[in-house]
Amino acid sequence: MHTSTNVFKRQFILTCKQAAPLASRSLDESLTLHEQLLLKWHLLICQSCTTYFGQIKLIRKIIRDKRVSTMGLSDEARKRIAQVLSDSEAAITLNNSNQ
């Protein structure tokens, strides 16, 4: 029974380290049905990741929204912010792939 429980966890339950880059990627591209289900399940049971996902959605919306330019941010500042976010997401993904 213990082995089948481990197999179930590996196939159907994401860790937060696995869910974070998946959540981020879901904002840029379509996930497979399996990935969508894994992410939705994880977000149902993990308040921290649900908060994180909400924050990255909000940050991306603000960056892409025209209101950013009216907030006094230059195009260069918006590009730097977007690059930092992109770099941090890439680092998370790279870190997870090395595990």
Side-chain angles (χ1 to χ4, degrees), residues 23-60:
S24 180
R25 192 166 54 101
S26 75
L27 298 175
D28 296 321
E29 60 189 65
S30 296
L31 300 178
T32 66
L33 179 59
H34 185 244
E35 290 170 327
Q36 290 174 33
L37 292 172
L38 288 173
L39 181 59
K40 285 180 189 277
W41 174 251
H42 186 82
L43 294 176
L44 281 172
I45 61 173
C46 181
Q47 184 59 46
S48 295
C49 286
T50 301
T51 300
Y52 169 76
F53 190 47
Q55 289 171 342
I56 62 172
K57 286 195 304 190
L58 178 62
I59 290 168
R60 285 175 181 231

